[in-house]
Amino acid sequence: MTELRALQQRLAAFAAARDWDQFHSPKNLAMALSVEAAELVEEFQWLTEQQSSDLDAERRERVRLELADVFIYLLRICDKLGVDLLRAADDKIALNEQKYPAERVRGDARKYTDYD
Amino acid sequence: MTELRALQQRLAAFAAARDWDQFHSPKNLAMALSVEAAELVEEFQWLTEQQSSDLDAERRERVRLELADVFIYLLRICDKLGVDLLRAADDKIALNEQKYPAERVRGDARKYTDYD
Amino acid sequence: MTELRALQQRLAAFAAARDWDQFHSPKNLAMALSVEAAELVEEFQWLTEQQSSDLDAERRERVRLELADVFIYLLRICDKLGVDLLRAADDKIALNEQKYPAERVRGDARKYTDYD
Amino acid sequence: MTELRALQQRLAAFAAARDWDQFHSPKNLAMALSVEAAELVEEFQWLTEQQSSDLDAERRERVRLELADVFIYLLRICDKLGVDLLRAADDKIALNEQKYPAERVRGDARKYTDYD
């Protein structure tokens, strides 16, 4: 069993032991994931970009746990919808490689802002 | 090398080949992650909870790729900050187990809304 | 002077008195607005749609203040960028009326999910 | 009638004419608001703070309409929940004045990052 699958099963057991599955529709889990993403943003919102690369120990630990929260909800949604997250990432990277060929994009900073 | 580490290296090479590292401060990556999380939310916002569990093929594929986008930015931030995501998730789950003991929380729906 | 303009001036004075203008780039203010939007979402994430229409007094007051936070950052960004928010809303509604003609859209629930 | 109230009535009529009220629970509207906030963030995510203050005409117009979208959903939620947005902003600013007295906060950049 892969590491991600093991983690998903642990999270499913965690929710089941608390009767929380009734709340865990993909819709609600997507909301929760976006809230955790915002808690991550909140850590960075008044920092300069440079400061965001050079966190003090206390903020770095808060950031680390917010990253974990995003990951936890991401895995929960994938579990609920039967999505293989590693395979989805592989497929998306392949699409991005077609969409943004390195030779065309390289160093084109202005263009970058039109991506995603 | 673990699967996540391999994926992180692939993403780092992807960014380097396009000169995108200059944009990838943790601050900017956190913004990008939250935007991808919102694109996921957008897929669910007018659906009922029941509908969100029972997606048609077209929307399911869009959701799958949005989940991948969130994961990709999550791995990029972890790479930039030197965070081990699997370990962070383990640590966060352990904290949650202390914070929400199953025997106390079980079936307490009203209480749930105060969590996170 | 309109009510919105008066409020914007009050907020500008509030920031100036605290030397906070240095943090209030449109980029940072947009992040802060999205964080406040997420705090609003957090109030609703585990509620049913019906429950979200019928809030108890305590949550309703929290929601009211989160709505105020979103509004405050929205007005700050408009002030910084010289945007007339009422006029922008008028213009956007006119665009929406062209994009979603009532006679074509009416009752087409499935279609709705493709909007925005 | 105030300008905001007039705008709310126009938005309510717009939704009613399209049978969209069935989708406009406060929960769903909060999701939609957060998605619009993210579309605003997306405009800024790869810009420097300086660039975000000095937008070209095309991006400025997109930003202006995203600000309108956030405002539109904000007014819809307030209408649905019977919240007076101007009064809520007044109340929140009064709370902020107590929480962050100018004389204590002034110039304390590090402290700022702990606010909100």
Side-chain angles (χ1 to χ4, degrees), chain C residues 6-50:
Chain C
L7 198 47
Q8 280 178 312
Q9 293 192 357
R10 193 170 162 204
L11 293 168
F14 185 93
R18 285 158 186 77
D19 261 351
W20 284 357
D21 263 306
Q22 58 184 311
F23 301 111
H24 285 188
S25 63
K27 175 173 176 149
N28 288 2
L29 290 168
M31 294 172 81
L33 186 153
S34 78
V35 169
E36 299 300 340
E39 292 179 5
L40 183 70
V41 167
E42 192 175 10
E43 292 293 338
F44 293 121
Q45 66 190 349
W46 309 123
L47 302 186
T48 63
E49 289 186 57
Q50 182 54 49

mmCIF file of all heavy atoms in Angstrom, chain C residues 6-50:
data_model
loop_
_atom_site.group_PDB
_atom_site.id
_atom_site.type_symbol
_atom_site.label_atom_id
_atom_site.label_comp_id
_atom_site.label_asym_id
_atom_site.label_seq_id
_atom_site.Cartn_x
_atom_site.Cartn_y
_atom_site.Cartn_z
ATOM 1 N N ALA C 6 -17.258 58.286 2.334
ATOM 2 C CA ALA C 6 -16.997 58.653 3.734
ATOM 3 C C ALA C 6 -16.332 57.488 4.470
ATOM 4 O O ALA C 6 -15.381 57.673 5.247
ATOM 5 C CB ALA C 6 -18.301 59.055 4.428
ATOM 6 N N LEU C 7 -16.835 56.293 4.198
ATOM 7 C CA LEU C 7 -16.278 55.105 4.850
ATOM 8 C C LEU C 7 -14.836 54.871 4.388
ATOM 9 O O LEU C 7 -13.947 54.549 5.197
ATOM 10 C CB LEU C 7 -17.174 53.913 4.498
ATOM 11 C CG LEU C 7 -17.120 52.647 5.327
ATOM 12 C CD1 LEU C 7 -17.173 52.925 6.816
ATOM 13 C CD2 LEU C 7 -18.302 51.734 4.941
ATOM 14 N N GLN C 8 -14.590 55.053 3.113
ATOM 15 C CA GLN C 8 -13.226 54.886 2.602
ATOM 16 C C GLN C 8 -12.258 55.866 3.261
ATOM 17 O O GLN C 8 -11.122 55.506 3.587
ATOM 18 C CB GLN C 8 -13.204 55.094 1.080
ATOM 19 C CG GLN C 8 -13.675 53.868 0.321
ATOM 20 C CD GLN C 8 -13.693 54.095 -1.174
ATOM 21 O OE1 GLN C 8 -14.206 55.105 -1.640
ATOM 22 N NE2 GLN C 8 -13.140 53.163 -1.924
ATOM 23 N N GLN C 9 -12.703 57.090 3.459
ATOM 24 C CA GLN C 9 -11.813 58.079 4.081
ATOM 25 C C GLN C 9 -11.545 57.718 5.533
ATOM 26 O O GLN C 9 -10.434 57.893 6.042
ATOM 27 C CB GLN C 9 -12.420 59.471 3.949
ATOM 28 C CG GLN C 9 -12.447 59.918 2.487
ATOM 29 C CD GLN C 9 -12.756 61.389 2.325
ATOM 30 O OE1 GLN C 9 -13.011 62.094 3.297
ATOM 31 N NE2 GLN C 9 -12.705 61.873 1.090
ATOM 32 N N ARG C 10 -12.577 57.190 6.187
ATOM 33 C CA ARG C 10 -12.381 56.771 7.576
ATOM 34 C C ARG C 10 -11.360 55.620 7.659
ATOM 35 O O ARG C 10 -10.498 55.594 8.537
ATOM 36 C CB ARG C 10 -13.731 56.334 8.160
ATOM 37 C CG ARG C 10 -13.731 56.166 9.648
ATOM 38 C CD ARG C 10 -15.141 55.966 10.173
ATOM 39 N NE ARG C 10 -15.111 55.394 11.516
ATOM 40 C CZ ARG C 10 -16.089 54.695 12.056
ATOM 41 N NH1 ARG C 10 -17.213 54.492 11.366
ATOM 42 N NH2 ARG C 10 -15.981 54.191 13.282
ATOM 43 N N LEU C 11 -11.453 54.697 6.723
ATOM 44 C CA LEU C 11 -10.521 53.565 6.701
ATOM 45 C C LEU C 11 -9.103 54.011 6.344
ATOM 46 O O LEU C 11 -8.122 53.505 6.899
ATOM 47 C CB LEU C 11 -11.002 52.498 5.712
ATOM 48 C CG LEU C 11 -12.307 51.785 6.098
ATOM 49 C CD1 LEU C 11 -12.846 50.982 4.928
ATOM 50 C CD2 LEU C 11 -12.084 50.888 7.326
ATOM 51 N N ALA C 12 -9.000 54.963 5.435
ATOM 52 C CA ALA C 12 -7.675 55.486 5.065
ATOM 53 C C ALA C 12 -7.025 56.167 6.268
ATOM 54 O O ALA C 12 -5.828 55.985 6.535
ATOM 55 C CB ALA C 12 -7.801 56.453 3.890
ATOM 56 N N ALA C 13 -7.822 56.932 7.008
ATOM 57 C CA ALA C 13 -7.297 57.607 8.199
ATOM 58 C C ALA C 13 -6.886 56.585 9.262
ATOM 59 O O ALA C 13 -5.853 56.729 9.930
ATOM 60 C CB ALA C 13 -8.348 58.565 8.762
ATOM 61 N N PHE C 14 -7.682 55.534 9.396
ATOM 62 C CA PHE C 14 -7.384 54.461 10.357
ATOM 63 C C PHE C 14 -6.020 53.831 10.051
ATOM 64 O O PHE C 14 -5.186 53.641 10.948
ATOM 65 C CB PHE C 14 -8.490 53.400 10.275
ATOM 66 C CG PHE C 14 -8.379 52.300 11.295
ATOM 67 C CD1 PHE C 14 -9.047 52.385 12.509
ATOM 68 C CD2 PHE C 14 -7.614 51.167 11.046
ATOM 69 C CE1 PHE C 14 -8.945 51.362 13.458
ATOM 70 C CE2 PHE C 14 -7.504 50.146 11.982
ATOM 71 C CZ PHE C 14 -8.169 50.243 13.197
ATOM 72 N N ALA C 15 -5.780 53.531 8.780
ATOM 73 C CA ALA C 15 -4.508 52.923 8.374
ATOM 74 C C ALA C 15 -3.351 53.909 8.561
ATOM 75 O O ALA C 15 -2.284 53.540 9.071
ATOM 76 C CB ALA C 15 -4.585 52.450 6.927
ATOM 77 N N ALA C 16 -3.577 55.162 8.160
ATOM 78 C CA ALA C 16 -2.501 56.165 8.250
ATOM 79 C C ALA C 16 -2.084 56.382 9.704
ATOM 80 O O ALA C 16 -0.886 56.487 10.000
ATOM 81 C CB ALA C 16 -2.966 57.479 7.622
ATOM 82 N N ALA C 17 -3.044 56.409 10.602
ATOM 83 C CA ALA C 17 -2.746 56.648 12.017
ATOM 84 C C ALA C 17 -1.912 55.532 12.623
ATOM 85 O O ALA C 17 -1.303 55.684 13.686
ATOM 86 C CB ALA C 17 -4.053 56.815 12.803
ATOM 87 N N ARG C 18 -1.899 54.379 11.963
ATOM 88 C CA ARG C 18 -1.166 53.217 12.478
ATOM 89 C C ARG C 18 0.053 52.878 11.617
ATOM 90 O O ARG C 18 0.679 51.846 11.839
ATOM 91 C CB ARG C 18 -2.132 52.012 12.541
ATOM 92 C CG ARG C 18 -3.113 52.129 13.716
ATOM 93 C CD ARG C 18 -4.361 51.311 13.542
ATOM 94 N NE ARG C 18 -5.305 51.583 14.632
ATOM 95 C CZ ARG C 18 -6.067 52.684 14.700
ATOM 96 N NH1 ARG C 18 -6.005 53.609 13.756
ATOM 97 N NH2 ARG C 18 -6.883 52.847 15.737
ATOM 98 N N ASP C 19 0.351 53.739 10.641
ATOM 99 C CA ASP C 19 1.482 53.460 9.735
ATOM 100 C C ASP C 19 1.308 52.162 8.970
ATOM 101 O O ASP C 19 2.293 51.469 8.679
ATOM 102 C CB ASP C 19 2.802 53.372 10.531
ATOM 103 C CG ASP C 19 3.593 54.674 10.443
ATOM 104 O OD1 ASP C 19 3.219 55.550 9.645
ATOM 105 O OD2 ASP C 19 4.584 54.802 11.179
ATOM 106 N N TRP C 20 0.085 51.823 8.666
ATOM 107 C CA TRP C 20 -0.177 50.546 7.999
ATOM 108 C C TRP C 20 -0.193 50.664 6.482
ATOM 109 O O TRP C 20 -0.305 49.634 5.793
ATOM 110 C CB TRP C 20 -1.513 49.944 8.477
ATOM 111 C CG TRP C 20 -1.425 49.339 9.846
ATOM 112 C CD1 TRP C 20 -0.322 49.224 10.636
ATOM 113 C CD2 TRP C 20 -2.505 48.749 10.587
ATOM 114 N NE1 TRP C 20 -0.636 48.603 11.826
ATOM 115 C CE2 TRP C 20 -1.979 48.308 11.823
ATOM 116 C CE3 TRP C 20 -3.867 48.543 10.340
ATOM 117 C CZ2 TRP C 20 -2.761 47.684 12.794
ATOM 118 C CZ3 TRP C 20 -4.646 47.926 11.308
ATOM 119 C CH2 TRP C 20 -4.094 47.500 12.525
ATOM 120 N N ASP C 21 -0.100 51.876 5.966
ATOM 121 C CA ASP C 21 -0.153 52.012 4.506
ATOM 122 C C ASP C 21 0.968 51.248 3.818
ATOM 123 O O ASP C 21 0.806 50.771 2.692
ATOM 124 C CB ASP C 21 -0.107 53.498 4.105
ATOM 125 C CG ASP C 21 -1.503 54.039 3.862
ATOM 126 O OD1 ASP C 21 -2.225 53.433 3.053
ATOM 127 O OD2 ASP C 21 -1.867 55.035 4.495
ATOM 128 N N GLN C 22 2.093 51.139 4.489
ATOM 129 C CA GLN C 22 3.222 50.405 3.923
ATOM 130 C C GLN C 22 2.879 48.943 3.607
ATOM 131 O O GLN C 22 3.508 48.324 2.759
ATOM 132 C CB GLN C 22 4.408 50.446 4.903
ATOM 133 C CG GLN C 22 4.061 49.855 6.269
ATOM 134 C CD GLN C 22 5.187 49.972 7.299
ATOM 135 O OE1 GLN C 22 6.329 49.630 7.009
ATOM 136 N NE2 GLN C 22 4.850 50.455 8.482
ATOM 137 N N PHE C 23 1.876 48.385 4.323
ATOM 138 C CA PHE C 23 1.478 46.991 4.078
ATOM 139 C C PHE C 23 0.350 46.885 3.053
ATOM 140 O O PHE C 23 0.070 45.801 2.559
ATOM 141 C CB PHE C 23 1.001 46.343 5.377
ATOM 142 C CG PHE C 23 2.039 46.348 6.460
ATOM 143 C CD1 PHE C 23 1.885 47.141 7.601
ATOM 144 C CD2 PHE C 23 3.179 45.571 6.347
ATOM 145 C CE1 PHE C 23 2.850 47.146 8.592
ATOM 146 C CE2 PHE C 23 4.144 45.578 7.340
ATOM 147 C CZ PHE C 23 3.984 46.366 8.466
ATOM 148 N N HIS C 24 -0.310 48.016 2.766
ATOM 149 C CA HIS C 24 -1.557 47.964 2.015
ATOM 150 C C HIS C 24 -1.379 48.133 0.506
ATOM 151 O O HIS C 24 -2.036 48.955 -0.119
ATOM 152 C CB HIS C 24 -2.545 48.991 2.578
ATOM 153 C CG HIS C 24 -3.157 48.558 3.879
ATOM 154 N ND1 HIS C 24 -4.182 49.232 4.497
ATOM 155 C CD2 HIS C 24 -2.898 47.504 4.684
ATOM 156 C CE1 HIS C 24 -4.510 48.612 5.627
ATOM 157 N NE2 HIS C 24 -3.745 47.572 5.775
ATOM 158 N N SER C 25 -0.507 47.334 -0.085
ATOM 159 C CA SER C 25 -0.480 47.245 -1.546
ATOM 160 C C SER C 25 -1.753 46.521 -1.990
ATOM 161 O O SER C 25 -2.305 45.709 -1.238
ATOM 162 C CB SER C 25 0.746 46.451 -1.996
ATOM 163 O OG SER C 25 0.672 45.126 -1.516
ATOM 164 N N PRO C 26 -2.231 46.792 -3.207
ATOM 165 C CA PRO C 26 -3.394 46.042 -3.709
ATOM 166 C C PRO C 26 -3.187 44.522 -3.619
ATOM 167 O O PRO C 26 -4.111 43.784 -3.277
ATOM 168 C CB PRO C 26 -3.505 46.525 -5.163
ATOM 169 C CG PRO C 26 -3.015 47.939 -5.092
ATOM 170 C CD PRO C 26 -1.857 47.894 -4.107
ATOM 171 N N LYS C 27 -1.974 44.079 -3.888
ATOM 172 C CA LYS C 27 -1.698 42.632 -3.780
ATOM 173 C C LYS C 27 -1.992 42.109 -2.374
ATOM 174 O O LYS C 27 -2.711 41.126 -2.195
ATOM 175 C CB LYS C 27 -0.232 42.377 -4.153
ATOM 176 C CG LYS C 27 0.219 40.920 -3.967
ATOM 177 C CD LYS C 27 1.626 40.707 -4.518
ATOM 178 C CE LYS C 27 2.115 39.293 -4.261
ATOM 179 N NZ LYS C 27 3.033 38.826 -5.315
ATOM 180 N N ASN C 28 -1.435 42.788 -1.373
ATOM 181 C CA ASN C 28 -1.633 42.342 0.004
ATOM 182 C C ASN C 28 -3.091 42.484 0.448
ATOM 183 O O ASN C 28 -3.628 41.619 1.157
ATOM 184 C CB ASN C 28 -0.731 43.135 0.951
ATOM 185 C CG ASN C 28 0.735 42.751 0.835
ATOM 186 O OD1 ASN C 28 1.087 41.900 0.007
ATOM 187 N ND2 ASN C 28 1.580 43.378 1.632
ATOM 188 N N LEU C 29 -3.717 43.567 0.039
ATOM 189 C CA LEU C 29 -5.121 43.774 0.409
ATOM 190 C C LEU C 29 -6.026 42.722 -0.234
ATOM 191 O O LEU C 29 -7.005 42.280 0.378
ATOM 192 C CB LEU C 29 -5.575 45.185 0.004
ATOM 193 C CG LEU C 29 -4.965 46.332 0.808
ATOM 194 C CD1 LEU C 29 -5.262 47.671 0.118
ATOM 195 C CD2 LEU C 29 -5.487 46.370 2.250
ATOM 196 N N ALA C 30 -5.691 42.301 -1.457
ATOM 197 C CA ALA C 30 -6.472 41.237 -2.104
ATOM 198 C C ALA C 30 -6.321 39.931 -1.318
ATOM 199 O O ALA C 30 -7.297 39.181 -1.151
ATOM 200 C CB ALA C 30 -6.027 41.043 -3.555
ATOM 201 N N MET C 31 -5.110 39.648 -0.853
ATOM 202 C CA MET C 31 -4.909 38.459 -0.020
ATOM 203 C C MET C 31 -5.769 38.557 1.243
ATOM 204 O O MET C 31 -6.432 37.595 1.629
ATOM 205 C CB MET C 31 -3.439 38.338 0.376
ATOM 206 C CG MET C 31 -2.508 38.078 -0.800
ATOM 207 S SD MET C 31 -0.734 38.169 -0.329
ATOM 208 C CE MET C 31 -0.459 36.533 0.383
ATOM 209 N N ALA C 32 -5.713 39.731 1.888
ATOM 210 C CA ALA C 32 -6.464 39.913 3.138
ATOM 211 C C ALA C 32 -7.965 39.763 2.895
ATOM 212 O O ALA C 32 -8.683 39.135 3.686
ATOM 213 C CB ALA C 32 -6.149 41.280 3.743
ATOM 214 N N LEU C 33 -8.451 40.299 1.782
ATOM 215 C CA LEU C 33 -9.869 40.150 1.447
ATOM 216 C C LEU C 33 -10.225 38.674 1.284
ATOM 217 O O LEU C 33 -11.255 38.218 1.782
ATOM 218 C CB LEU C 33 -10.189 40.933 0.175
ATOM 219 C CG LEU C 33 -11.657 41.003 -0.233
ATOM 220 C CD1 LEU C 33 -11.929 42.282 -1.042
ATOM 221 C CD2 LEU C 33 -12.116 39.808 -1.037
ATOM 222 N N SER C 34 -9.362 37.926 0.613
ATOM 223 C CA SER C 34 -9.681 36.504 0.386
ATOM 224 C C SER C 34 -9.655 35.718 1.693
ATOM 225 O O SER C 34 -10.404 34.754 1.864
ATOM 226 C CB SER C 34 -8.730 35.896 -0.646
ATOM 227 O OG SER C 34 -7.467 35.605 -0.083
ATOM 228 N N VAL C 35 -8.805 36.137 2.624
ATOM 229 C CA VAL C 35 -8.774 35.486 3.940
ATOM 230 C C VAL C 35 -10.074 35.765 4.698
ATOM 231 O O VAL C 35 -10.654 34.867 5.317
ATOM 232 C CB VAL C 35 -7.541 35.950 4.746
ATOM 233 C CG1 VAL C 35 -7.627 35.495 6.195
ATOM 234 C CG2 VAL C 35 -6.265 35.424 4.090
ATOM 235 N N GLU C 36 -10.557 37.008 4.630
ATOM 236 C CA GLU C 36 -11.827 37.329 5.288
ATOM 237 C C GLU C 36 -12.984 36.576 4.634
ATOM 238 O O GLU C 36 -13.899 36.108 5.317
ATOM 239 C CB GLU C 36 -12.085 38.836 5.258
ATOM 240 C CG GLU C 36 -11.046 39.677 5.984
ATOM 241 C CD GLU C 36 -10.923 39.357 7.461
ATOM 242 O OE1 GLU C 36 -11.860 38.769 8.028
ATOM 243 O OE2 GLU C 36 -9.878 39.674 8.050
ATOM 244 N N ALA C 37 -12.942 36.454 3.304
ATOM 245 C CA ALA C 37 -13.976 35.674 2.609
ATOM 246 C C ALA C 37 -13.972 34.229 3.109
ATOM 247 O O ALA C 37 -15.034 33.625 3.291
ATOM 248 C CB ALA C 37 -13.751 35.724 1.104
ATOM 249 N N ALA C 38 -12.782 33.694 3.356
ATOM 250 C CA ALA C 38 -12.675 32.313 3.849
ATOM 251 C C ALA C 38 -13.199 32.198 5.284
ATOM 252 O O ALA C 38 -13.779 31.181 5.661
ATOM 253 C CB ALA C 38 -11.233 31.834 3.780
ATOM 254 N N GLU C 39 -13.003 33.249 6.084
ATOM 255 C CA GLU C 39 -13.550 33.206 7.445
ATOM 256 C C GLU C 39 -15.077 33.199 7.415
ATOM 257 O O GLU C 39 -15.725 32.590 8.265
ATOM 258 C CB GLU C 39 -12.993 34.370 8.270
ATOM 259 C CG GLU C 39 -11.495 34.183 8.525
ATOM 260 C CD GLU C 39 -10.837 35.300 9.326
ATOM 261 O OE1 GLU C 39 -11.542 36.211 9.789
ATOM 262 O OE2 GLU C 39 -9.598 35.248 9.499
ATOM 263 N N LEU C 40 -15.636 33.849 6.408
ATOM 264 C CA LEU C 40 -17.086 33.775 6.195
ATOM 265 C C LEU C 40 -17.485 32.348 5.795
ATOM 266 O O LEU C 40 -18.437 31.780 6.348
ATOM 267 C CB LEU C 40 -17.474 34.770 5.095
ATOM 268 C CG LEU C 40 -18.951 34.882 4.771
ATOM 269 C CD1 LEU C 40 -19.716 35.540 5.911
ATOM 270 C CD2 LEU C 40 -19.159 35.668 3.480
ATOM 271 N N VAL C 41 -16.763 31.780 4.848
ATOM 272 C CA VAL C 41 -17.043 30.405 4.399
ATOM 273 C C VAL C 41 -16.957 29.433 5.568
ATOM 274 O O VAL C 41 -17.772 28.513 5.698
ATOM 275 C CB VAL C 41 -16.058 29.984 3.283
ATOM 276 C CG1 VAL C 41 -16.123 28.478 3.018
ATOM 277 C CG2 VAL C 41 -16.352 30.753 1.998
ATOM 278 N N GLU C 42 -15.984 29.657 6.437
ATOM 279 C CA GLU C 42 -15.789 28.765 7.585
ATOM 280 C C GLU C 42 -17.038 28.684 8.466
ATOM 281 O O GLU C 42 -17.337 27.633 9.035
ATOM 282 C CB GLU C 42 -14.590 29.260 8.417
ATOM 283 C CG GLU C 42 -14.140 28.243 9.449
ATOM 284 C CD GLU C 42 -12.888 28.697 10.187
ATOM 285 O OE1 GLU C 42 -12.482 29.870 10.036
ATOM 286 O OE2 GLU C 42 -12.312 27.864 10.919
ATOM 287 N N GLU C 43 -17.764 29.799 8.570
ATOM 288 C CA GLU C 43 -18.989 29.795 9.387
ATOM 289 C C GLU C 43 -20.060 28.871 8.806
ATOM 290 O O GLU C 43 -20.935 28.400 9.514
ATOM 291 C CB GLU C 43 -19.554 31.212 9.505
ATOM 292 C CG GLU C 43 -18.685 32.160 10.321
ATOM 293 C CD GLU C 43 -18.631 31.779 11.796
ATOM 294 O OE1 GLU C 43 -19.548 31.075 12.270
ATOM 295 O OE2 GLU C 43 -17.666 32.166 12.472
ATOM 296 N N PHE C 44 -20.005 28.653 7.495
ATOM 297 C CA PHE C 44 -21.061 27.904 6.806
ATOM 298 C C PHE C 44 -20.665 26.486 6.423
ATOM 299 O O PHE C 44 -21.505 25.709 5.999
ATOM 300 C CB PHE C 44 -21.453 28.665 5.524
ATOM 301 C CG PHE C 44 -22.112 29.991 5.767
ATOM 302 C CD1 PHE C 44 -21.567 31.168 5.279
ATOM 303 C CD2 PHE C 44 -23.296 30.070 6.497
ATOM 304 C CE1 PHE C 44 -22.176 32.397 5.493
ATOM 305 C CE2 PHE C 44 -23.915 31.295 6.727
ATOM 306 C CZ PHE C 44 -23.353 32.456 6.230
ATOM 307 N N GLN C 45 -19.384 26.141 6.549
ATOM 308 C CA GLN C 45 -18.904 24.944 5.859
ATOM 309 C C GLN C 45 -19.548 23.633 6.325
ATOM 310 O O GLN C 45 -19.708 22.722 5.527
ATOM 311 C CB GLN C 45 -17.374 24.849 5.896
ATOM 312 C CG GLN C 45 -16.800 24.648 7.264
ATOM 313 C CD GLN C 45 -15.278 24.794 7.272
ATOM 314 O OE1 GLN C 45 -14.647 24.846 6.237
ATOM 315 N NE2 GLN C 45 -14.686 24.876 8.436
ATOM 316 N N TRP C 46 -19.930 23.536 7.571
ATOM 317 C CA TRP C 46 -20.543 22.281 8.029
ATOM 318 C C TRP C 46 -22.051 22.404 8.216
ATOM 319 O O TRP C 46 -22.691 21.475 8.698
ATOM 320 C CB TRP C 46 -19.895 21.787 9.329
ATOM 321 C CG TRP C 46 -18.393 21.721 9.280
ATOM 322 C CD1 TRP C 46 -17.528 22.348 10.116
ATOM 323 C CD2 TRP C 46 -17.572 20.970 8.370
ATOM 324 N NE1 TRP C 46 -16.233 22.070 9.773
ATOM 325 C CE2 TRP C 46 -16.224 21.213 8.698
ATOM 326 C CE3 TRP C 46 -17.840 20.123 7.286
ATOM 327 C CZ2 TRP C 46 -15.146 20.651 7.998
ATOM 328 C CZ3 TRP C 46 -16.774 19.563 6.590
ATOM 329 C CH2 TRP C 46 -15.455 19.828 6.956
ATOM 330 N N LEU C 47 -22.608 23.534 7.857
ATOM 331 C CA LEU C 47 -24.060 23.710 7.933
ATOM 332 C C LEU C 47 -24.720 23.221 6.645
ATOM 333 O O LEU C 47 -24.124 23.267 5.572
ATOM 334 C CB LEU C 47 -24.408 25.194 8.112
ATOM 335 C CG LEU C 47 -23.833 25.941 9.323
ATOM 336 C CD1 LEU C 47 -24.420 27.346 9.381
ATOM 337 C CD2 LEU C 47 -24.093 25.204 10.617
ATOM 338 N N THR C 48 -25.971 22.787 6.756
ATOM 339 C CA THR C 48 -26.749 22.560 5.540
ATOM 340 C C THR C 48 -27.127 23.928 4.960
ATOM 341 O O THR C 48 -27.034 24.953 5.641
ATOM 342 C CB THR C 48 -28.045 21.792 5.848
ATOM 343 O OG1 THR C 48 -28.856 22.597 6.708
ATOM 344 C CG2 THR C 48 -27.745 20.467 6.547
ATOM 345 N N GLU C 49 -27.555 23.919 3.699
ATOM 346 C CA GLU C 49 -28.007 25.185 3.107
ATOM 347 C C GLU C 49 -29.147 25.786 3.931
ATOM 348 O O GLU C 49 -29.189 26.994 4.162
ATOM 349 C CB GLU C 49 -28.457 24.962 1.663
ATOM 350 C CG GLU C 49 -27.286 24.669 0.736
ATOM 351 C CD GLU C 49 -27.725 24.605 -0.711
ATOM 352 O OE1 GLU C 49 -28.299 25.595 -1.199
ATOM 353 O OE2 GLU C 49 -27.504 23.563 -1.343
ATOM 354 N N GLN C 50 -30.068 24.921 4.363
ATOM 355 C CA GLN C 50 -31.195 25.406 5.173
ATOM 356 C C GLN C 50 -30.688 26.060 6.463
ATOM 357 O O GLN C 50 -31.131 27.144 6.838
ATOM 358 C CB GLN C 50 -32.131 24.224 5.490
ATOM 359 C CG GLN C 50 -33.360 24.614 6.278
ATOM 360 C CD GLN C 50 -34.150 25.728 5.612
ATOM 361 O OE1 GLN C 50 -34.441 25.657 4.416
ATOM 362 N NE2 GLN C 50 -34.472 26.796 6.344
#
